[in-house]
């Protein structure tokens, strides 16, 4: 009887642990499957590369396009040729530059860092092999990265002071980097300007040489005419 | 008699200076990697399209197999792998599949291969070429010149010409044929077909450039120059006509309109040639002066 009781207690304890571990780890919503929508004979699947999605972490919007239905559907190569895709958060949109996947045909990724908690969606405009795809498809919700932070970033006043100090250093560094970039841009601009100027000088010189040569030819011809006239007169006098 | 002969000789020298005039720029285009990739994509597409026209003709497929080997080699596979392992594998595999299916005489499979390869090549462009370069009109125009260069090279092979069509200094600038110019008899039909198709590809590429940069002033003149080139190639014009089409009718305007010098990463820009007309004129004038000054010593 004691052994049975011990077994039951152990089983209940393990069940509780399993529930905590698998059902609500850190209170984060589990990853949902990517959303697939059908347009004519084409399947468009959207989602994030890494789910669940947290603010401030590098992720990527993922789009997979196939032709056909079910398991028989085949990936469409260069599917985004005539398709523009933007990401939308609230009323803000940004066009995305998708690159083909390293591993899966017909799959494309656009790297981005979601900065705010909430719902993002992909806005499609254009065609896939002639099939119109004009739609807005929601992505999985983005959660705050604070749920993963340890220790919490909103800590004591000492932490806050340290953070401000770090922030100040970062701002200084950023200011210095921007200054460097500005100087480099100015130098590049001057360099381009010099190149243009040099080319113009070369062109001017060539034009001048051409003019001189033409003038020379004229003088030469005149010289010959004068010489011929002089020789002819000289002969007549003799 | 001697005087007349001397006068005629001098007139002839001066006249040669007048005849030998041409735009004084040599066109040496540098190796911008982004433009090279854009050109490579266009060249490979052109070659496999030609393969699809000759399914079952093993000799012709052999020629295009060699040409494709020039445009995609192990370096390209390695470089592609640095950016995308799927394309690294699929592009050479699909090129080989196209050649293999063409040798086996399977037209339908070849058509599928060509479409698939075109898709992979298009996908490779944003992978291999950064967005700012892709949107840069100078890079786009430079890619056109690279494809034109290949077209000229193939035309030289087609005629078995001793003239390097890409070497502007070998061009006869007075516009008429000279004895050292090869006749327009085609000795290599594959190279000829390849040359015309590459020129047509360059023309198409430039149309795309125009659609992205419609406000550039000389677009219509360059388009007309490319149309003339394709027409002259189709008509099997002589080497000099083709060289004039490219080096006089297209390159100078492309250089100026799209500021191609700026894209040259290796400092090889368009440089002025020595003004030969000026030299001939100076010599002629010196001759006239000498003849009139020292005529008594010369026995005139």
């Amino acid at each position: 009887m004691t052994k049975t009781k011990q077994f039951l207690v152990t089983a209940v304890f393990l069940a509780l642990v399993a529930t905590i571990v698998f059902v609500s780890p850190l209170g984060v919503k589990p990853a949902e499957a990517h959303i697939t929508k059908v347009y004519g004979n084409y399947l468009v699947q959207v989602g994030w590369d890494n789910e669940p999605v947290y603010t401030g972490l590098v992720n990527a919007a993922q789009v997979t396009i196939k032709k056909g239905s079910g398991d028989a559907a085949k990936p469409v190569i260069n599917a985004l040729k005539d398709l523009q895709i933007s990401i939308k958060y609230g009323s803000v949109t940004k066009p995305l530059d998708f690159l083909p996947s390293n591993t899966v045909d017909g799959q494309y990724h656009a790297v981005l860092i979601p900065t705010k908690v909430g719902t993002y969606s992909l806005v499609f405009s254009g065609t896939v092999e002639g099939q119109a795809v004009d739609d807005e498809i929601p992505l999985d919700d983005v959660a705050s990265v604070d749920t993963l932070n340890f220790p919490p970033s909103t800590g004591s006043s000492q932490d806050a002071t340290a953070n401000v100090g770090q922030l100040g250093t970062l701002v200084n560094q950023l200011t210095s980097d921007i200054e460097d970039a500005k100087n480099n841009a100015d130098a590049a601009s001057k360099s381009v300007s010099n190149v243009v100027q040099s080319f113009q000088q070369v062109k001017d010189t060539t034009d001048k040489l051409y003019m001189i040569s033409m003038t020379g030819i004229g003088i030469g011809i005149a010289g010959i005419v004068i010489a011929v006239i002089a020789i002819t007169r000289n002969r007549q006098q003799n | 008699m001697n005087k007349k002969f001397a006068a005629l000789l001098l007139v002839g020298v001066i006249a040669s200076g007048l005849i030998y005039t041409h735009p004084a720029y040599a066109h040496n285009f540098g190796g911008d990697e982004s433009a090279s990739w854009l050109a490579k994509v266009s060249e490979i597409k052109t070659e496999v399209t030609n393969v699809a026209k000759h399914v079952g003709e093993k000799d012709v497929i052999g020629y295009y197999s060699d040409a494709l080997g020039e445009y995609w080699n192990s370096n390209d596979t390695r470089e592609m792998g640095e950016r995308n392992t799927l394309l690294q594998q699929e592009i050479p595999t699909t090129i080989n599949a196209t050649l293999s299916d063409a040798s086996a005489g399977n037209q339908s499979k070849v058509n599928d291969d060509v479409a698939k390869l075109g898709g992979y090549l298009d996908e490779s462009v944003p992978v291999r070429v950064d967005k700012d370069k892709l949107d840069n009109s100078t890079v786009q125009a430079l890619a056109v010149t690279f494809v034109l260069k290949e077209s000229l090279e193939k035309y030289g092979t087609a005629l078995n010409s001793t003239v390097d069509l890409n070497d502007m200094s070998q061009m006869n600038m007075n516009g008429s044929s000279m004895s050292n110019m090869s006749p327009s008899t085609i000795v290599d039909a594959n190279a000829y077909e390849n040359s015309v198709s590459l020129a047509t590809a360059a023309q198409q590429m430039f149309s795309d450039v125009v659609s992205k940069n419609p406000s550039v002033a000389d677009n219509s003149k360059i388009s007309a120059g490319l149309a003339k080139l394709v027409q002259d190639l189709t008509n099997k014009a002589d080497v000099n006509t083709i060289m004039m089409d490219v080096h006089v009718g297209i390159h100078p305007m492309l250089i100026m309109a799209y500021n191609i010098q700026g894209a040259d990463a290796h400092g090889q820009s368009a440089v002025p040639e020595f003004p030969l007309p000026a030299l001939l004129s100076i010599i002629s004038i010196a001759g006239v002066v000498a003849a009139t000054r020292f005529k008594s010593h010369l026995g005139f």
Side-chain angles (χ1 to χ4, degrees), chain B:
Chain B
M1 193 64 189
N2 279 343
K3 294 168 194 168
K4 281 183 183 173
F5 176 74
L8 283 172
L9 190 67
L10 291 171
V11 168
V13 174
I14 291 172
S16 71
L18 278 173
I19 292 165
Y20 202 88
T21 56
H22 60 87
Y25 291 93
H27 313 130
N28 301 309
F29 300 108
D32 181 279
E33 284 192 6
S34 302
S36 295
W37 193 267
L38 294 176
K40 185 187 293 289
V41 165
S42 177
E43 287 153 0
I44 295 173
K45 281 184 181 178
T46 303
E47 304 303 49
V48 293
T49 303
N50 285 337
V51 169
K53 290 177 189 167
H54 296 283
V55 172
E57 298 172 43
K58 291 195 175 172
D59 288 348
V60 184
I61 293 164
Y63 168 84
Y64 284 112
S65 174
D66 291 343
L68 282 162
E70 278 179 39
Y71 297 132
W72 190 277
N73 56 38
S74 55
N75 275 341
D76 297 308
T77 302
R78 184 179 50 76
E79 284 177 19
M80 194 73 250
E82 290 168 6
R83 302 283 183 105
N84 189 300
T85 48
L86 183 69
L87 294 174
Q88 175 191 30
Q89 184 189 326
E90 292 296 341
I91 292 175
T93 302
T94 315
I95 289 173
N96 290 335
T98 308
L99 293 169
S100 168
D101 290 336
S103 293
N106 193 332
Q107 183 75 57
S108 164
K109 270 193 166 183
V110 170
N111 293 344
D112 289 346
D113 292 335
V114 170
K116 193 175 167 188
L117 181 61
Y120 283 131
L121 288 167
D122 285 341
E123 284 191 349
S124 78
V125 170
V127 171
R128 191 67 177 68
V129 182
D130 294 335
K131 194 173 180 343
D132 60 330
K133 288 281 183 79
L134 203 53
D135 295 337
N136 185 320
S137 62
T138 304
V139 172
Q140 295 160 7
L142 191 60
V144 174
T145 66
F146 288 163
V147 178
L148 280 177
K149 181 172 180 281
E150 289 298 315
S151 175
L152 289 192
E153 191 181 309
K154 305 289 187 218
Y155 196 64
T157 307
L159 300 183
N160 195 25
S161 172
T162 53
V163 175
D164 177 1
L165 276 74
N166 282 301
D167 183 355
M168 193 179 170
S169 68
Q170 295 187 33
M171 187 164 63
N172 172 19
M173 299 308 301
N174 67 10
S176 62
S177 295
M178 285 173 70
S179 58
N180 67 335
M181 295 297 168
S182 301
S184 50
T185 306
I186 304 299
V187 295
D188 185 337
N190 297 328
Y192 172 67
E193 179 190 55
N194 203 358
S195 169
V196 177
S197 56
L198 284 166
T200 308
Q203 189 182 24
Q204 180 57 48
M205 282 173 81
F206 187 71
S207 296
D208 294 341
V209 175
V210 171
S211 67
K212 290 173 187 166
N213 309 278
S215 58
V216 175
D218 281 337
N219 275 344
S220 57
K221 287 181 187 170
I222 299 166
S223 296
L226 283 161
K228 183 175 184 307
L229 171 69
V230 172
Q231 187 62 48
D232 285 341
L233 284 170
T234 307
N235 293 338
K236 300 172 186 171
D238 64 275
V239 166
N240 203 54
T241 303
I242 299 299
M243 289 174 83
M244 292 282 280
D245 284 348
V246 175
H247 296 300
V248 178
I250 299 171
H251 278 169
M253 280 184 288
L254 258 181
I255 288 169
M256 293 303 287
Y258 286 91
N259 192 27
I260 284 180
Q261 297 92 334
D264 191 337
H266 301 283
Q268 290 174 294
S269 57
V271 291
E273 291 175 342
F274 187 81
L276 195 57
L279 176 68
L280 290 175
S281 302
I282 291 165
I283 293 170
S284 305
I285 293 162
V288 171
V289 170
T292 50
R293 182 86 174 78
F294 304 108
K295 60 181 181 182
S296 56
H297 298 284
L298 294 169
F300 284 3

